[in-house]
């Protein structure tokens, strides 16, 4: 594990009751569960001090332990609903780790729905966070130019209008300014960021640009099938 001036918690949120892809966290995908892909990338990154699972489901907890994740607490049902925001889940995990006598300086949120995640994505995010002293680092992908806010339109009273005023003069998509989307592969942030800003981003959020071919978030069966295809091609 690389020496670094702060302690890092890798937090894997995986609740039960998935609607889009039932049982996705324990269902084999190209021979491994999503938890196993996440654990392997975190372990091989060399920058995670402790890797913990936050779940409300006993079967996911068991699968997490088999994958090498710590499960020192269970998430309460009140924090495992379809509409539960991620922030209170993170805050609950931090409170639990503090109760067990350990408080990390940095949290790396690793949603298991990103099985294409590589160890260097995690390592680069943590390295950037340390080198820049930023509040957070988030992976992003470039949005296709035809979906740039400079180029897309809105409908106003039945008429097409540029979505942004600056887009009125953009007639070719190659002239649109680059735009970026948070892709969910890695969120790295300081514990102090949550304490100061009440969120994971803070005022100084840095982008870690990754290739779109390495980015995929599984929310539907179509996503699952695409992940199977891409993993098989590796």
């Amino acid at each position: 594990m690389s020496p670094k001036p702060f302690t890092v918690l890798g937090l894997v949120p995986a609740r039960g009751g998935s609607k889009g892809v039932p049982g996705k966290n324990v269902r084999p995908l190209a021979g491994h569960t999503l938890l196993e892909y996440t654990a392997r990338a975190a372990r091989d990154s060399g920058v995670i001090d402790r890797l913990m699972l936050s779940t409300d489901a006993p079967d996911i907890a068991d699968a997490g332990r088999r994958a090498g994740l710590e499960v020192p607490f269970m998430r309460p049902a009140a924090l495992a609903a379809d509409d539960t925001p991620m922030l209170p889940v993170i805050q609950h995990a931090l409170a639990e780790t503090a109760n067990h006598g350990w408080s990390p300086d940095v949290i790396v949120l690793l949603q298991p729905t990103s099985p294409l995640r590589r160890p260097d994505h995690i390592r680069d995010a943590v390295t950037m966070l340390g080198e820049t002293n930023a509040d957070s680092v988030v992976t992003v992908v470039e949005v296709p130019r035809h979906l740039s806010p400079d180029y897309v339109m809105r409908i106003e009273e039945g008429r097409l209008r540029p979505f942004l005023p600056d887009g009125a003069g953009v007639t070719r998509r190659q002239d649109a300014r680059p735009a970026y989307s948070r892709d969910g592969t890695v969120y790295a942030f300081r514990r102090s960021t949550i304490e100061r800003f009440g969120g994971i981003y803070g005022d100084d959020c840095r982008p870690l640009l990754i290739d779109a071919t390495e980015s995929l978030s599984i929310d539907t069966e179509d996503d699952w099938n695409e992940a199977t295809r891409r993993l098989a091609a590796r």
Side-chain angles (χ1 to χ4, degrees), residues 13-37:
R15 70 180 183 87
S18 171
K19 300 293 193 301
V21 184
K24 64 185 176 185
N25 289 306
V26 296
R27 173 178 164 186
L29 171 68
H32 301 280
T33 67
L34 296 180
L35 297 176
E36 289 172 326
Y37 286 114

Side-chain angles (χ1 to χ4, degrees), residues 182-198:
R182 293 173 297 203
D183 81 313
T185 297
V186 179
Y187 298 86
F189 48 93
R190 302 178 189 277
R191 177 165 49 88
S192 60
T193 300
I194 289 183
E195 295 168 349
R196 291 174 57 205
F197 299 100

Side-chain angles (χ1 to χ4, degrees), residues 2-231:
S2 301
K4 54 191 183 312
F6 43 71
T7 54
V8 180
L9 166 66
L11 182 63
V12 182
R15 70 180 183 87
S18 171
K19 300 293 193 301
V21 184
K24 64 185 176 185
N25 289 306
V26 296
R27 173 178 164 186
L29 171 68
H32 301 280
T33 67
L34 296 180
L35 297 176
E36 289 172 326
Y37 286 114
T38 303
R40 181 187 304 167
R43 184 169 53 248
D44 292 349
S45 74
V47 296
I48 303 295
D49 293 296
R50 297 182 68 181
L51 185 61
M52 294 185 186
L53 175 67
S54 170
T55 187
D56 62 311
D59 62 328
I60 295 177
D62 290 341
R65 293 186 186 97
R66 289 194 297 272
L69 307 179
E70 293 184 52
V71 191
F73 56 84
M74 294 295 289
R75 192 195 310 182
L79 293 179
D82 290 344
D83 57 353
T84 299
M86 187 57 69
L87 179 61
V89 173
I90 297 168
Q91 291 171 325
H92 171 262
L94 290 176
E96 288 291 331
T97 61
N99 288 339
H100 287 79
W102 187 70
S103 291
D105 301 309
V106 168
I107 300 92
V108 180
L109 185 67
L110 300 170
Q111 300 177 108
T113 45
S114 296
L116 302 184
R117 180 190 296 111
R118 295 203 322 251
D120 61 290
H121 295 149
I122 301 171
R123 185 166 52 249
D124 290 349
V126 172
T127 299
M128 183 183 292
L129 191 68
E131 291 179 346
T132 62
N133 204 33
D135 296 318
S136 60
V137 173
V138 175
T139 53
V140 298
V141 293
E142 185 173 353
V143 174
R145 290 299 176 95
H146 70 282
L147 297 178
S148 166
D150 277 342
Y151 197 68
V152 299
M153 311 293 285
R154 59 191 171 89
I155 298 175
E156 183 181 284
E157 298 180 349
R159 295 179 176 85
L160 276 179
R161 305 289 190 196
F163 193 82
L164 295 179
D166 290 351
V170 178
T171 58
R172 303 185 309 163
R173 65 182 179 184
Q174 57 265 44
D175 296 330
R177 290 171 293 183
Y180 303 89
S181 173
R182 293 173 297 203
D183 81 313
T185 297
V186 179
Y187 298 86
F189 48 93
R190 302 178 189 277
R191 177 165 49 88
S192 60
T193 300
I194 289 183
E195 295 168 349
R196 291 174 57 205
F197 299 100
I200 69 173
Y201 300 113
D203 285 341
D204 186 356
C205 179
R206 303 297 176 97
L208 176 61
L209 181 63
I210 68 173
D211 194 278
T213 61
E214 301 172 342
S215 171
L216 178 67
S217 181
I218 295 178
D219 296 308
T220 67
E221 287 290 344
D222 286 343
D223 296 334
W224 185 275
N225 294 335
E226 176 64 13
T228 301
R229 185 187 69 77
R230 292 201 206 178
L231 288 165

